[in-house]
Amino acid sequence: TVHLFTQAGYTDPEPRPNRIEVIADRQPTIQLLKPAADNTAAADQSLTIALRAADDYGLVAVRLETKVVDENGTEQAVATPQRWDRLSNLSETTLSHSLLLSASLVKPGQSLFIRAVATAGRAVQVFGATLSPQETASAWHRVVSGFAAGRCGQRGCSKRR
């Protein structure tokens, strides 16, 4: 029971009951719609990336992350080629980005991994407790740069064997 008083010390002798229901804050959700989980793409082509993010209290940021893995399994550092920071606490959004698969990004035989990360707007400091914004990441989707340079003709590119 909570009893409220004015600054002068007065209270209602017959207060009405008020019910407060606490609703749990769920993790944001993120889904990488494109590309498919295992995909092959030609070098120097644009790869369309599409994603859907949602949060019950509102999104404040979504970002794309990439990492390149060579044939030996050596991973390069994770990069962030696209970030959406001004989402105004949207409860749900669908976003897209075009990523150029340039030779400086990924070479034939390397795999590019892509994932999306959603950040919720919750940031609360009250009564000594701190609740930081929640983040959720999608699974990594692998895109193989499967075409060697110079192997493209009038019929398109052929897969490297």
Side-chain angles (χ1 to χ4, degrees):
T1 304
V2 177
H3 294 279
L4 301 177
F5 295 87
T6 66
Q7 288 181 343
Y10 297 108
T11 188
D12 187 348
E14 294 181 32
R16 67 177 185 185
N18 291 300
R19 183 181 166 146
I20 298 174
E21 185 176 338
V22 177
I23 300 171
D25 183 15
R26 294 185 305 254
Q27 286 283 123
T29 60
I30 187 86
Q31 182 181 13
L32 198 52
L33 305 171
K34 287 182 181 179
D38 252 336
N39 203 353
T40 303
D44 294 324
Q45 297 295 313
S46 289
L47 178 68
T48 299
I49 302 167
L51 59 98
R52 182 179 303 123
D55 186 65
D56 52 349
Y57 284 96
L59 297 162
V60 294
V62 174
R63 69 181 182 271
L64 289 176
E65 293 183 343
T66 60
K67 67 179 177 180
V68 175
V69 179
D70 67 20
E71 293 171 333
N72 299 326
T74 304
E75 293 185 12
Q76 295 178 10
V78 173
T80 303
Q82 179 63 40
R83 185 176 179 96
W84 296 270
D85 285 325
R86 295 192 167 103
L87 298 179
S88 302
N89 282 325
L90 291 174
S91 60
E92 184 173 342
T93 188
T94 301
L95 302 164
S96 65
H97 178 69
S98 183
L99 182 66
L100 178 62
L101 299 178
S102 65
S104 63
L105 177 64
V106 61
K107 295 171 181 43
Q110 291 181 323
S111 295
L112 174 70
F113 288 84
I114 301 168
R115 75 174 179 181
V117 181
T119 304
R122 178 189 79 182
V124 178
Q125 276 191 309
V126 63
F127 303 119
T130 301
L131 300 175
S132 300
Q134 296 173 311
E135 280 194 348
T136 300
S138 71
W140 287 101
H141 285 212
R142 182 174 147 229
V143 178
V144 178
S145 179
F147 303 107
R151 303 248 344 238
C152 297
Q154 289 180 342
R155 294 184 190 174
C157 297
S158 60
K159 285 190 178 181
R160 193 176 71 134
R161 301 196 192 281

